[in-house]
Amino acid sequence: MILAISALLIATTAATGIYLARQIVTHQLDSQRQIGQGLLNQVEPAAHVALAGEAAAGALAASLQKIAMDPAVASLRIVDANGLPLYEHRGEQQPANGFIQLLTGEHRPPTLIAELDLPGGERGRIELGLSYQSFNRTVNQLAVRVGLFVALALIASIAVTYFLLKRFTAPLKPLTALAQQFARGNWATKVTLMESGTHEIQQLNQALAQGSAAMRHYIHNLEETRELLEYNEHRLRTLINSMHEILFELDAAGRISFLNPAWQQLTGFPIDEAMGRAFTDFLMDEDVIDDFDLEFLGELREKNREIRMRTADGRGLWASLDADAHQDDSGRFSGIIGTLSDITQSVELNTLLARYRDDLYVLSVTDPLTNLYNRRHFDNQLDVVLSERLPLGQSVCLLIIDLDGFKFINDTYGHPAGDQALRTIAQLLKTAAREDDYLARLAGDEFAMVLVDTNLKTAALIAAKLHAGINETRIELPIGDIQLRCSIGVAEAPLHGRNLQELVSAADVALYQSKRQGRNRVEVLSADTSETVMTIFNQGFQLRNALQEGGLMPAFQPICDMRTGQPVAYEALARMRINNNTIQAAEFIGVAEELGLTREIDLHIIEQSLRLAPIGYDLFLNLDPSSFNDRNFVAQLTGLLAPACRGGRAITIEITERENVIITDALLADIGELRTLGCKLALDDFGSGYSTYQFLNLFRPEYLKIEGAFVRGMLDNEADRKIVEHIHDLAVAFGISTIAESVENEDTCQALLGMGIHNAQGFHLGSPQLHPL
């Protein structure tokens, strides 16, 4: 800055000096010309005389010589009209020095000319050349003085300028140092600023100080922001790299432009190889590939879409796709951003669950042995068929097929042979069935065929053909073979009924008639079937429904000690609930026997009784000895009783004779196994029906229950009283406790107590209750 100001002062001073010098030189030059003009004026009279011839030549020469000797004259010449010199003097011709030339632009001294008018019209001329000798000397002296003045003025101005600049710019040094530190990025430097009398400098000082503080704060914030950005970037990168989902980005052409490490982990393809490739190269489903076509890519919106991806090992990957098209600031489609989540296990699990659901559905509607529909699905489907076909005026026929001698096959040849017989019957039914016909296995050896849009005559022909086919079928065994036989009942809707219950009851009646007429035949229900038979089978239908829907339940009647009158046990009695009415076992047990349902009812009541009976008392359960002929029944019964016995439940099995039962080794073994479990034995209704002393001798029961008919009549009939006493004495002889049934009043109770009867039950001591006490 000092140099610039100094240069400016030098230029200003030099210009001023040159200007003054030029003015002086110009003035001196003008003076020189004026002197020359004066000399010319002095020479002009003498020259005029000389030219006129009025003076002597010597006198003229002396006069001119005096003028020519003047330092300002360089040359003097006088010529006549013909140009002949009359007088000529040449002195030292000294040109203008360079300084004069620079200031005036003149190089040679000027020559003054004066014209002389002579008598006779002639003219002469005086030529006076000026000399720059003295002028150069004068100008040189002037130049020296001006130069000295300029030099001194310049030195003084520079000194003053330097002092002033130094005085006023001294505070700029620390500011300059601070600026240099700022230029190096060192905004933390603190510089102590000098006091300055200049307001602008003070403002600059303050501004720089505030700017420095603000910049430090800004830089500090920037550092924090940068650290936060680096942290967030690191965290984001860590999150992206540790994602189990694939994060991908596609460019506007559908090529992969970004992938996170999950891509290689899930697909097996290296990221470097996948970058730049079309995303569709890794898709397997054509519909998904079509959606990623460039024509539709800009409108892509996918949410939780299940797709299949290619993998390096060829197994494929099920993924959930979320993807959206994105636009740049100008609104143009720029690419796709999306994620892919591995749902292979979920899809495989759902597929497996769907298969399991299908399998469970098949198991829930079919019989696993024969692969025919089961009873529950048969009821539902027949109800649908009747509701669809009957309004259209189409008949629906039902065939119920029962395998004759199935129990004999099981008992004689074993259950594998029985199962083979059932499968053979099922296959024959499938062969005989038409496209719209419907097949089901209703019970152990009972099947059904529903013939759609078929009248009774056609159904009878189909049944006869089926019967003949079954009769011609033999099952080969390791030893010998089995000849199959069956009974078939046929009924038609709407002729014999318009709903499920009526049609099944009618077909059951026809089957019942077939069996009563000798079995192994086809029986078509006739119009004159007795109302009594129909009532029986209507009750059978109700009984089946009660079994399936929980309408059969136990009622518990107390068995009391005769001495204390307190319960010591409870007997489970079967009851059926229909429309809030309770039906006793005596009203439906006969139907159960006719339809072969006693075993199912016994097992159902036993299972319910074990769950609902009062705790802390012996539980009496009724069984028909003929049920032991079914080995499945024995296995199921043992399976029910074993856990209860192990749990400490006291159980007594009541053997009820509803027909003359042949006592076999198998029956004795089964009773022995029950006793091994911890069960006691009671003979029910002793003294009536088929009761024999053989039962008493072989089974040696813990309890003997006296037939209620004798107990009720013992107060009015001596014979009944004797029978009761005889049974009690017999029991005592065998060490058996007696239980009197049907005790309905206190007098009977006292009479029994007098006889020594141990226990009793009846309405006087407690009626059967459906719920535990």
Side-chain angles (χ1 to χ4, degrees):
M1 184 175 179
I2 293 175
L3 292 177
I5 293 175
S6 298
L8 178 63
L9 289 174
I10 291 172
T12 302
T13 304
T16 302
I18 293 172
Y19 175 76
L20 293 175
R22 188 174 186 279
Q23 292 296 323
I24 294 172
V25 170
T26 302
H27 178 72
Q28 289 292 330
L29 184 60
D30 290 341
S31 299
Q32 183 77 7
R33 287 178 177 173
Q34 290 177 1
I35 293 172
Q37 188 64 42
L39 290 177
L40 185 64
N41 291 334
Q42 290 179 10
V43 172
E44 185 176 353
H48 190 273
V49 171
L51 289 173
E54 295 177 357
L60 177 61
S63 178
L64 292 175
Q65 183 68 30
K66 184 180 179 178
I67 294 172
M69 294 303 294
D70 192 295
V73 176
S75 65
L76 180 63
R77 187 182 182 200
I78 301 173
V79 294
D80 59 13
N82 295 321
L84 296 174
L86 297 179
Y87 178 83
E88 185 175 6
H89 171 77
R90 289 190 178 273
E92 184 180 355
Q93 295 289 330
Q94 187 175 3
N97 59 25
F99 187 64
I100 295 174
Q101 292 178 16
L102 176 65
L103 293 177
T104 63
E106 295 185 6
H107 300 279
R108 300 184 64 82
T111 300
L112 300 179
I113 299 175
E115 295 290 340
L116 296 177
D117 294 327
L118 299 177
E122 293 183 358
R123 297 183 64 87
R125 185 173 71 247
I126 301 173
E127 295 177 358
L128 178 64
L130 298 179
S131 173
Y132 277 163
Q133 180 179 2
S134 61
F135 186 54
N136 284 340
R137 186 169 52 250
T138 301
V139 170
N140 287 339
Q141 293 175 354
L142 177 63
V144 171
R145 294 189 184 97
V146 170
L148 291 174
F149 171 76
V150 169
L152 291 175
L154 180 61
I155 292 171
S157 64
I158 291 175
V160 171
T161 300
Y162 177 77
F163 174 77
L164 292 176
L165 287 176
K166 186 175 181 181
R167 176 74 176 89
F168 288 100
T169 62
L172 294 179
K173 290 183 178 180
L175 295 181
T176 303
L178 183 62
Q180 291 174 347
Q181 292 297 325
F182 289 169
R184 298 186 184 99
N186 186 9
W187 292 91
T189 302
K190 294 183 178 180
V191 177
T192 302
L193 303 178
M194 296 177 62
E195 294 289 339
S196 175
T198 305
H199 179 66
E200 289 76 6
I201 296 296
Q202 291 178 350
Q203 287 183 328
L204 179 60
N205 288 346
Q206 185 177 4
L208 281 176
Q210 292 175 349
S212 175
M215 185 59 71
R216 286 196 299 271
H217 179 71
Y218 178 69
I219 291 175
H220 178 71
N221 289 341
L222 284 179
E223 287 294 325
E224 290 184 344
T225 303
R226 182 183 61 80
E227 292 176 359
L228 181 60
L229 287 175
E230 289 179 353
Y231 171 76
N232 289 334
E233 180 184 4
H234 175 72
R235 185 179 180 186
L236 180 60
R237 187 176 300 278
T238 301
L239 289 174
I240 292 175
N241 291 341
S242 61
M243 284 176 62
H244 297 295
E245 298 81 10
I246 296 172
L247 179 62
F248 68 91
E249 185 176 5
L250 311 182
D251 60 18
R255 296 184 296 268
I256 298 174
S257 58
F258 174 80
L259 292 169
N260 66 337
W263 168 269
Q264 186 166 344
Q265 296 170 7
L266 295 180
T267 66
F269 290 111
I271 293 178
D272 293 342
E273 295 181 7
M275 294 293 289
R277 292 179 59 181
F279 185 66
T280 52
D281 291 348
F282 302 96
L283 300 177
M284 299 181 65
D285 300 323
E286 290 297 330
D287 58 332
V288 183
I289 294 175
D290 293 341
D291 290 344
F292 276 84
D293 188 271
L294 293 181
E295 182 180 355
F296 312 109
L297 200 59
E299 305 297 327
L300 186 70
R301 294 288 185 278
E302 297 291 353
K303 185 69 175 177
N304 295 331
R305 182 175 183 180
E306 291 187 2
I307 66 172
R308 288 189 302 159
M309 301 286 298
R310 300 185 186 278
T311 57
D313 57 12
R315 291 183 303 174
L317 170 74
W318 280 100
S320 176
L321 170 66
D322 288 339
D324 290 295
H326 283 258
Q327 291 78 34
D328 56 20
D329 294 338
S330 62
R332 292 179 300 179
F333 169 62
S334 59
I336 302 292
I337 296 177
T339 60
L340 292 165
S341 303
D342 183 9
I343 58 171
T344 303
Q345 291 184 349
S346 176
V347 171
E348 291 176 350
L349 179 59
N350 289 336
T351 302
L352 187 61
L353 288 176
R355 188 182 307 124
Y356 284 162
R357 283 196 298 268
D358 294 341
D359 293 344
L360 287 174
Y361 174 75
V362 171
L363 290 174
S364 68
V365 301
T366 60
D367 169 57
L369 179 64
T370 62
N371 290 326
L372 300 180
Y373 288 118
N374 58 22
R375 177 58 186 266
R376 183 183 295 274
H377 193 64
F378 164 79
D379 288 346
N380 294 335
Q381 190 63 24
L382 180 55
D383 208 15
V384 172
V385 170
L386 292 174
S387 65
E388 290 178 349
R389 301 290 177 162
L390 294 185
L392 300 177
Q394 298 178 2
S395 300
V396 177
C397 289
L398 173 62
L399 277 59
I400 295 183
I401 303 99
D402 186 84
L403 182 60
D404 294 335
F406 180 67
K407 180 178 180 302
F408 172 79
I409 295 174
N410 265 340
D411 292 344
T412 305
Y413 301 103
H415 289 287
D419 291 346
Q420 181 61 34
L422 296 176
R423 285 193 291 266
T424 301
I425 292 291
Q427 187 58 44
L428 291 172
L429 288 172
K430 292 176 183 177
T431 303
R434 300 167 303 177
E435 182 177 357
D436 293 333
D437 293 342
Y438 183 78
L439 304 173
R441 182 187 178 192
L442 302 182
D445 58 350
E446 192 172 87
F447 298 84
M449 176 183 285
V450 179
L451 306 176
V452 180
D453 195 15
T454 304
N455 57 34
L456 195 60
K457 182 178 180 180
T458 303
L461 294 175
I462 293 174
K465 183 178 180 181
L466 176 63
H467 180 265
I470 293 175
N471 279 355
E472 293 173 359
T473 302
R474 305 183 71 86
I475 300 177
E476 298 294 333
L477 298 175
I479 302 176
D481 53 33
I482 300 173
Q483 174 68 55
L484 296 182
R485 296 288 186 267
C486 71
S487 298
I488 302 177
V490 183
E492 178 193 1
L495 178 62
H496 299 123
R498 302 191 63 86
N499 57 41
L500 169 69
Q501 179 178 349
E502 293 174 350
L503 184 59
V504 172
S505 296
D508 271 340
V509 169
L511 179 62
Y512 175 71
Q513 290 178 333
S514 173
K515 288 182 175 295
R516 290 181 68 87
Q517 293 178 19
R519 303 178 185 273
N520 193 29
R521 54 183 288 118
V522 176
E523 187 68 31
V524 178
L525 187 65
S526 61
D528 59 353
T529 302
S530 67
E531 187 68 24
T532 302
V533 175
M534 288 299 295
T535 301
I536 291 174
F537 281 86
N538 282 334
Q539 291 178 354
F541 183 82
Q542 293 176 345
L543 188 57
R544 285 193 180 96
N545 281 347
L547 266 172
Q548 294 174 0
E549 299 174 5
L552 274 175
M553 59 194 69
F556 299 99
Q557 185 176 30
I559 300 173
C560 300
D561 188 310
M562 290 298 297
R563 293 170 297 176
T564 64
Q566 296 300 314
V568 294
Y570 283 88
E571 179 183 0
L573 303 170
R575 295 290 186 265
M576 182 167 62
R577 295 278 293 176
I578 299 178
N579 299 326
N580 295 325
N581 296 320
T582 302
I583 301 174
Q584 297 185 9
E587 298 182 32
F588 61 81
I589 198 64
V591 175
E593 291 175 347
E594 288 285 348
L595 301 179
L597 297 175
T598 54
R599 298 180 184 90
E600 292 182 59
I601 293 174
D602 285 347
L603 290 172
H604 178 79
I605 295 298
I606 289 172
E607 189 274 330
Q608 295 291 318
S609 299
L610 292 172
R611 185 169 56 87
L612 300 174
I615 302 298
Y617 298 92
D618 199 348
L619 176 62
F620 280 64
L621 301 173
N622 290 284
L623 287 178
D624 186 339
S626 63
S627 297
F628 286 92
N629 294 329
D630 185 346
R631 305 314 300 170
N632 285 333
F633 172 83
V634 176
Q636 291 175 286
L637 176 64
T638 303
L640 287 174
L641 296 181
C645 292
R646 287 195 297 267
R649 168 74 76 174
I651 297 174
T652 298
I653 302 298
E654 289 193 30
I655 299 296
T656 302
E657 296 182 81
R658 297 192 180 103
E659 60 180 271
N660 191 10
V661 177
I662 299 175
I663 300 176
T664 63
D665 292 340
L667 177 59
L668 291 173
D670 292 336
I671 297 297
E673 183 177 353
L674 293 176
R675 282 190 156 165
T676 301
L677 293 176
C679 296
K680 297 178 183 179
L681 189 63
L683 290 183
D684 192 18
D685 297 333
F686 193 82
S688 67
Y690 297 95
S691 296
T692 65
Y693 291 104
Q694 185 182 16
F695 263 73
L696 187 64
N697 187 40
L698 290 176
F699 292 118
R700 295 298 177 96
E702 282 77 15
Y703 299 99
L704 200 62
K705 300 188 75 172
I706 303 171
E707 167 62 34
F710 302 130
V711 175
R712 286 192 300 270
M714 62 178 288
L715 296 180
D716 301 323
N717 189 310
E718 183 64 19
D720 290 341
R721 189 181 66 81
K722 288 292 186 181
I723 292 174
V724 172
E725 286 182 346
H726 173 72
I727 293 175
H728 175 66
D729 292 340
L730 182 63
V732 171
F734 279 88
I736 300 172
S737 297
T738 51
I739 301 174
E741 298 181 308
S742 302
V743 178
E744 299 177 352
N745 51 63
E746 182 61 26
D747 292 341
T748 302
C749 191
Q750 292 300 321
L752 292 172
L753 184 59
M755 291 180 186
I757 302 295
H758 305 102
N759 306 291
Q761 68 182 114
F763 285 100
H764 179 66
L765 299 172
S767 61
Q769 300 293 323
L770 289 176
H771 300 289
L773 301 178

